[in-house]
Amino acid sequence: MISNFEFTSDEEFLGFIDTYLQSDDKLVSDLANLSSLIFHYLDDVSWCGFYLLDNDELYLGPFQGKAACTKIKIGKGVCGSAYKRGETLIVDDVNTFPGHIACDSASKSEIVIPLEGFGVLDIDSTSYSRFREKEKSLLENVMNLLSKKINS
């Protein structure tokens, strides 16, 4: 069961996620809670959620924040580009990203972490240059833990 947690370190947060994802819960339930845990753990985040792969599109999955775009073509926008490249993308100013898809005009920066064959974790902030190497490492570790659950 999830209740209100205050994590004192990224390691403690990752340890909780690792244990939590070992449950027998349905994947969609895990993704819903995972998006909430990340949304509340990170400071200065306006949106956090998953876009899930379906053929040549990413479709909106569980998230926290304002209503969002429901479909993104692979290779389009930050999410589609990160998935196509197979690498985490950090965008300090979304207005400078060619083809950025603006679901929320208040978003200023974004980080997207892909998981091959699955989709992406997308996180936005209303501040410029919000995401750095620290968040990249943390979120890639979260996605690695999620991958273990999906592939088990």
Side-chain angles (χ1 to χ4, degrees):
M1 171 178 265
I2 300 274
S3 62
N4 294 326
F5 289 98
E6 300 254 346
F7 301 101
T8 58
S9 68
D10 288 353
E11 292 75 23
E12 185 180 12
F13 179 72
L14 287 169
F16 177 81
I17 298 298
D18 187 34
T19 301
Y20 172 73
L21 288 175
Q22 292 179 33
S23 73
D24 62 355
D25 290 339
K26 295 283 188 187
L27 183 60
V28 69
S29 300
D30 285 342
L31 296 177
N33 276 329
L34 195 52
S35 66
S36 178
L37 287 162
I38 295 167
F39 183 84
H40 291 287
Y41 180 67
L42 295 177
D43 293 326
D44 195 17
V45 167
S46 58
W47 198 92
C48 176
F50 293 91
Y51 279 93
L52 308 173
L53 182 64
D54 185 13
N55 294 317
D56 65 342
E57 289 185 317
L58 297 167
Y59 68 93
L60 183 62
F63 71 93
Q64 299 287 308
K66 293 181 179 180
C69 305
T70 58
K71 294 180 197 175
I72 299 172
K73 290 261 187 217
I74 300 300
K76 302 296 181 185
V78 182
C79 290
S81 296
Y83 188 83
K84 184 175 184 178
R85 294 179 193 178
E87 64 185 37
T88 298
L89 291 182
I90 296 175
V91 180
D92 291 331
D93 179 352
V94 295
N95 297 311
T96 65
F97 189 88
H100 175 255
I101 300 168
C103 297
D104 178 3
S105 62
S107 289
K108 303 294 186 235
S109 61
E110 185 171 2
I111 184 170
V112 178
I113 303 89
L115 183 56
E116 185 178 351
F118 176 76
V120 300
L121 170 61
D122 177 24
I123 304 175
D124 296 351
S125 174
T126 56
S127 298
Y128 292 107
S129 302
R130 163 60 186 92
F131 304 104
R132 293 282 166 243
E133 197 59 38
K134 179 181 189 279
E135 289 81 16
K136 178 182 182 222
S137 176
L138 173 70
L139 296 168
E140 286 176 344
N141 281 323
V142 168
M143 291 299 273
N144 288 336
L145 294 172
L146 179 59
S147 178
K148 281 186 356 189
K149 174 166 184 140
I150 292 168
N151 294 313
S152 64

mmCIF file of all heavy atoms in Angstrom, residues 46-73:
data_model
loop_
_atom_site.group_PDB
_atom_site.id
_atom_site.type_symbol
_atom_site.label_atom_id
_atom_site.label_comp_id
_atom_site.label_asym_id
_atom_site.label_seq_id
_atom_site.Cartn_x
_atom_site.Cartn_y
_atom_site.Cartn_z
ATOM 1 N N SER A 46 5.837 20.240 -13.392
ATOM 2 C CA SER A 46 4.442 20.573 -13.675
ATOM 3 C C SER A 46 3.674 19.417 -14.308
ATOM 4 O O SER A 46 2.439 19.435 -14.327
ATOM 5 C CB SER A 46 4.371 21.793 -14.597
ATOM 6 O OG SER A 46 5.069 21.554 -15.804
ATOM 7 N N TRP A 47 4.392 18.424 -14.836
ATOM 8 C CA TRP A 47 3.742 17.282 -15.471
ATOM 9 C C TRP A 47 4.686 16.095 -15.428
ATOM 10 O O TRP A 47 5.891 16.244 -15.630
ATOM 11 C CB TRP A 47 3.393 17.604 -16.934
ATOM 12 C CG TRP A 47 2.375 16.707 -17.540
ATOM 13 C CD1 TRP A 47 1.037 16.903 -17.559
ATOM 14 C CD2 TRP A 47 2.605 15.464 -18.234
ATOM 15 N NE1 TRP A 47 0.409 15.843 -18.217
ATOM 16 C CE2 TRP A 47 1.359 14.959 -18.645
ATOM 17 C CE3 TRP A 47 3.743 14.722 -18.534
ATOM 18 C CZ2 TRP A 47 1.210 13.767 -19.329
ATOM 19 C CZ3 TRP A 47 3.604 13.525 -19.226
ATOM 20 C CH2 TRP A 47 2.345 13.069 -19.621
ATOM 21 N N CYS A 48 4.145 14.918 -15.170
ATOM 22 C CA CYS A 48 4.953 13.698 -15.148
ATOM 23 C C CYS A 48 4.069 12.543 -15.577
ATOM 24 O O CYS A 48 3.013 12.318 -14.982
ATOM 25 C CB CYS A 48 5.491 13.445 -13.742
ATOM 26 S SG CYS A 48 6.397 11.885 -13.597
ATOM 27 N N GLY A 49 4.506 11.845 -16.618
ATOM 28 C CA GLY A 49 3.701 10.720 -17.047
ATOM 29 C C GLY A 49 4.359 9.880 -18.111
ATOM 30 O O GLY A 49 5.500 10.124 -18.511
ATOM 31 N N PHE A 50 3.603 8.905 -18.555
ATOM 32 C CA PHE A 50 4.087 7.936 -19.523
ATOM 33 C C PHE A 50 3.338 8.069 -20.837
ATOM 34 O O PHE A 50 2.121 8.288 -20.847
ATOM 35 C CB PHE A 50 3.899 6.512 -18.974
ATOM 36 C CG PHE A 50 4.759 6.241 -17.788
ATOM 37 C CD1 PHE A 50 4.287 6.478 -16.502
ATOM 38 C CD2 PHE A 50 6.051 5.754 -17.934
ATOM 39 C CE1 PHE A 50 5.077 6.240 -15.393
ATOM 40 C CE2 PHE A 50 6.852 5.517 -16.840
ATOM 41 C CZ PHE A 50 6.367 5.760 -15.558
ATOM 42 N N TYR A 51 4.085 7.929 -21.915
ATOM 43 C CA TYR A 51 3.510 7.725 -23.246
ATOM 44 C C TYR A 51 3.912 6.312 -23.647
ATOM 45 O O TYR A 51 5.087 5.962 -23.598
ATOM 46 C CB TYR A 51 4.025 8.755 -24.253
ATOM 47 C CG TYR A 51 3.296 10.070 -24.154
ATOM 48 C CD1 TYR A 51 3.778 11.092 -23.353
ATOM 49 C CD2 TYR A 51 2.110 10.274 -24.852
ATOM 50 C CE1 TYR A 51 3.096 12.294 -23.256
ATOM 51 C CE2 TYR A 51 1.419 11.482 -24.759
ATOM 52 C CZ TYR A 51 1.920 12.490 -23.964
ATOM 53 O OH TYR A 51 1.241 13.673 -23.865
ATOM 54 N N LEU A 52 2.928 5.501 -24.017
ATOM 55 C CA LEU A 52 3.134 4.076 -24.264
ATOM 56 C C LEU A 52 3.126 3.772 -25.757
ATOM 57 O O LEU A 52 2.310 4.312 -26.502
ATOM 58 C CB LEU A 52 2.045 3.285 -23.547
ATOM 59 C CG LEU A 52 1.893 3.624 -22.051
ATOM 60 C CD1 LEU A 52 0.693 2.916 -21.460
ATOM 61 C CD2 LEU A 52 3.158 3.310 -21.304
ATOM 62 N N LEU A 53 4.023 2.899 -26.171
ATOM 63 C CA LEU A 53 4.192 2.553 -27.571
ATOM 64 C C LEU A 53 3.029 1.715 -28.090
ATOM 65 O O LEU A 53 2.622 0.737 -27.462
ATOM 66 C CB LEU A 53 5.503 1.783 -27.753
ATOM 67 C CG LEU A 53 5.872 1.388 -29.178
ATOM 68 C CD1 LEU A 53 6.115 2.622 -30.035
ATOM 69 C CD2 LEU A 53 7.103 0.484 -29.164
ATOM 70 N N ASP A 54 2.540 2.101 -29.263
ATOM 71 C CA ASP A 54 1.538 1.322 -29.989
ATOM 72 C C ASP A 54 1.811 1.526 -31.476
ATOM 73 O O ASP A 54 1.501 2.589 -32.026
ATOM 74 C CB ASP A 54 0.127 1.785 -29.639
ATOM 75 C CG ASP A 54 -0.948 0.916 -30.279
ATOM 76 O OD1 ASP A 54 -0.630 -0.175 -30.782
ATOM 77 O OD2 ASP A 54 -2.112 1.349 -30.280
ATOM 78 N N ASN A 55 2.443 0.525 -32.101
ATOM 79 C CA ASN A 55 2.868 0.603 -33.499
ATOM 80 C C ASN A 55 3.832 1.774 -33.691
ATOM 81 O O ASN A 55 4.882 1.783 -33.090
ATOM 82 C CB ASN A 55 1.669 0.657 -34.435
ATOM 83 C CG ASN A 55 0.870 -0.626 -34.394
ATOM 84 O OD1 ASN A 55 1.444 -1.711 -34.399
ATOM 85 N ND2 ASN A 55 -0.443 -0.520 -34.337
ATOM 86 N N ASP A 56 3.461 2.784 -34.482
ATOM 87 C CA ASP A 56 4.366 3.909 -34.749
ATOM 88 C C ASP A 56 3.974 5.166 -33.986
ATOM 89 O O ASP A 56 4.330 6.271 -34.365
ATOM 90 C CB ASP A 56 4.437 4.201 -36.252
ATOM 91 C CG ASP A 56 3.105 4.670 -36.815
ATOM 92 O OD1 ASP A 56 2.058 4.457 -36.164
ATOM 93 O OD2 ASP A 56 3.098 5.255 -37.919
ATOM 94 N N GLU A 57 3.222 4.984 -32.899
ATOM 95 C CA GLU A 57 2.795 6.127 -32.092
ATOM 96 C C GLU A 57 3.001 5.859 -30.601
ATOM 97 O O GLU A 57 3.031 4.713 -30.163
ATOM 98 C CB GLU A 57 1.313 6.434 -32.309
ATOM 99 C CG GLU A 57 1.003 7.010 -33.663
ATOM 100 C CD GLU A 57 -0.455 7.418 -33.782
ATOM 101 O OE1 GLU A 57 -1.344 6.666 -33.342
ATOM 102 O OE2 GLU A 57 -0.692 8.497 -34.336
ATOM 103 N N LEU A 58 3.128 6.946 -29.884
ATOM 104 C CA LEU A 58 3.117 6.908 -28.427
ATOM 105 C C LEU A 58 1.761 7.455 -28.006
ATOM 106 O O LEU A 58 1.326 8.500 -28.501
ATOM 107 C CB LEU A 58 4.238 7.784 -27.867
ATOM 108 C CG LEU A 58 5.656 7.354 -28.229
ATOM 109 C CD1 LEU A 58 6.655 8.465 -27.887
ATOM 110 C CD2 LEU A 58 6.027 6.062 -27.528
ATOM 111 N N TYR A 59 1.068 6.733 -27.125
ATOM 112 C CA TYR A 59 -0.221 7.229 -26.673
ATOM 113 C C TYR A 59 -0.168 7.499 -25.174
ATOM 114 O O TYR A 59 0.588 6.880 -24.431
ATOM 115 C CB TYR A 59 -1.359 6.283 -27.051
ATOM 116 C CG TYR A 59 -1.346 4.959 -26.323
ATOM 117 C CD1 TYR A 59 -2.069 4.784 -25.147
ATOM 118 C CD2 TYR A 59 -0.605 3.872 -26.802
ATOM 119 C CE1 TYR A 59 -2.054 3.584 -24.465
ATOM 120 C CE2 TYR A 59 -0.586 2.667 -26.134
ATOM 121 C CZ TYR A 59 -1.310 2.527 -24.972
ATOM 122 O OH TYR A 59 -1.287 1.334 -24.298
ATOM 123 N N LEU A 60 -0.969 8.448 -24.762
ATOM 124 C CA LEU A 60 -0.985 8.911 -23.380
ATOM 125 C C LEU A 60 -1.327 7.784 -22.425
ATOM 126 O O LEU A 60 -2.324 7.082 -22.595
ATOM 127 C CB LEU A 60 -2.001 10.047 -23.228
ATOM 128 C CG LEU A 60 -2.104 10.696 -21.849
ATOM 129 C CD1 LEU A 60 -0.785 11.359 -21.458
ATOM 130 C CD2 LEU A 60 -3.238 11.715 -21.852
ATOM 131 N N GLY A 61 -0.474 7.622 -21.419
ATOM 132 C CA GLY A 61 -0.698 6.660 -20.353
ATOM 133 C C GLY A 61 -0.916 7.392 -19.038
ATOM 134 O O GLY A 61 -1.218 8.584 -19.025
ATOM 135 N N PRO A 62 -0.738 6.701 -17.929
ATOM 136 C CA PRO A 62 -0.918 7.317 -16.617
ATOM 137 C C PRO A 62 -0.006 8.533 -16.431
ATOM 138 O O PRO A 62 1.159 8.517 -16.840
ATOM 139 C CB PRO A 62 -0.540 6.193 -15.647
ATOM 140 C CG PRO A 62 -0.848 4.941 -16.406
ATOM 141 C CD PRO A 62 -0.450 5.266 -17.819
ATOM 142 N N PHE A 63 -0.553 9.582 -15.810
ATOM 143 C CA PHE A 63 0.211 10.818 -15.612
ATOM 144 C C PHE A 63 -0.327 11.624 -14.440
ATOM 145 O O PHE A 63 -1.419 11.359 -13.942
ATOM 146 C CB PHE A 63 0.193 11.671 -16.889
ATOM 147 C CG PHE A 63 -1.143 12.308 -17.192
ATOM 148 C CD1 PHE A 63 -1.431 13.594 -16.751
ATOM 149 C CD2 PHE A 63 -2.104 11.623 -17.919
ATOM 150 C CE1 PHE A 63 -2.659 14.184 -17.033
ATOM 151 C CE2 PHE A 63 -3.331 12.197 -18.203
ATOM 152 C CZ PHE A 63 -3.618 13.481 -17.761
ATOM 153 N N GLN A 64 0.443 12.629 -14.064
ATOM 154 C CA GLN A 64 0.059 13.626 -13.069
ATOM 155 C C GLN A 64 0.237 14.994 -13.726
ATOM 156 O O GLN A 64 1.274 15.253 -14.343
ATOM 157 C CB GLN A 64 0.975 13.563 -11.843
ATOM 158 C CG GLN A 64 0.964 12.245 -11.113
ATOM 159 C CD GLN A 64 -0.307 12.026 -10.346
ATOM 160 O OE1 GLN A 64 -0.715 12.879 -9.570
ATOM 161 N NE2 GLN A 64 -0.939 10.889 -10.556
ATOM 162 N N GLY A 65 -0.750 15.853 -13.616
ATOM 163 C CA GLY A 65 -0.656 17.193 -14.188
ATOM 164 C C GLY A 65 -1.864 17.513 -15.038
ATOM 165 O O GLY A 65 -2.878 16.818 -15.000
ATOM 166 N N LYS A 66 -1.722 18.582 -15.836
ATOM 167 C CA LYS A 66 -2.806 19.021 -16.705
ATOM 168 C C LYS A 66 -3.049 18.014 -17.824
ATOM 169 O O LYS A 66 -2.170 17.219 -18.158
ATOM 170 C CB LYS A 66 -2.450 20.373 -17.330
ATOM 171 C CG LYS A 66 -2.392 21.507 -16.334
ATOM 172 C CD LYS A 66 -2.045 22.814 -17.046
ATOM 173 C CE LYS A 66 -2.015 23.964 -16.064
ATOM 174 N NZ LYS A 66 -1.688 25.233 -16.742
ATOM 175 N N ALA A 67 -4.239 18.083 -18.418
ATOM 176 C CA ALA A 67 -4.566 17.230 -19.559
ATOM 177 C C ALA A 67 -3.483 17.393 -20.623
ATOM 178 O O ALA A 67 -2.865 18.460 -20.756
ATOM 179 C CB ALA A 67 -5.929 17.611 -20.127
ATOM 180 N N ALA A 68 -3.242 16.318 -21.386
ATOM 181 C CA ALA A 68 -2.105 16.309 -22.305
ATOM 182 C C ALA A 68 -2.495 15.778 -23.675
ATOM 183 O O ALA A 68 -3.578 15.224 -23.863
ATOM 184 C CB ALA A 68 -0.994 15.441 -21.711
ATOM 185 N N CYS A 69 -1.575 15.914 -24.612
ATOM 186 C CA CYS A 69 -1.731 15.354 -25.960
ATOM 187 C C CYS A 69 -1.918 13.851 -25.831
ATOM 188 O O CYS A 69 -1.283 13.218 -24.992
ATOM 189 C CB CYS A 69 -0.487 15.637 -26.790
ATOM 190 S SG CYS A 69 -0.059 17.384 -26.865
ATOM 191 N N THR A 70 -2.755 13.283 -26.661
ATOM 192 C CA THR A 70 -3.047 11.861 -26.525
ATOM 193 C C THR A 70 -2.231 10.961 -27.436
ATOM 194 O O THR A 70 -2.073 9.784 -27.141
ATOM 195 C CB THR A 70 -4.543 11.583 -26.761
ATOM 196 O OG1 THR A 70 -4.900 12.050 -28.065
ATOM 197 C CG2 THR A 70 -5.395 12.277 -25.707
ATOM 198 N N LYS A 71 -1.708 11.501 -28.549
ATOM 199 C CA LYS A 71 -0.904 10.695 -29.473
ATOM 200 C C LYS A 71 0.287 11.507 -29.965
ATOM 201 O O LYS A 71 0.152 12.684 -30.275
ATOM 202 C CB LYS A 71 -1.717 10.281 -30.694
ATOM 203 C CG LYS A 71 -2.841 9.356 -30.427
ATOM 204 C CD LYS A 71 -3.535 9.043 -31.745
ATOM 205 C CE LYS A 71 -4.896 8.452 -31.518
ATOM 206 N NZ LYS A 71 -5.616 8.269 -32.770
ATOM 207 N N ILE A 72 1.423 10.838 -30.048
ATOM 208 C CA ILE A 72 2.636 11.455 -30.582
ATOM 209 C C ILE A 72 3.286 10.450 -31.527
ATOM 210 O O ILE A 72 3.532 9.300 -31.144
ATOM 211 C CB ILE A 72 3.614 11.837 -29.452
ATOM 212 C CG1 ILE A 72 2.966 12.847 -28.503
ATOM 213 C CG2 ILE A 72 4.924 12.372 -30.027
ATOM 214 C CD1 ILE A 72 3.785 13.145 -27.251
ATOM 215 N N LYS A 73 3.555 10.863 -32.734
ATOM 216 C CA LYS A 73 4.228 9.999 -33.711
ATOM 217 C C LYS A 73 5.686 9.800 -33.307
ATOM 218 O O LYS A 73 6.339 10.739 -32.826
ATOM 219 C CB LYS A 73 4.183 10.626 -35.103
ATOM 220 C CG LYS A 73 2.804 10.637 -35.711
ATOM 221 C CD LYS A 73 2.659 9.509 -36.663
ATOM 222 C CE LYS A 73 1.346 9.618 -37.410
ATOM 223 N NZ LYS A 73 0.752 8.343 -37.641
#
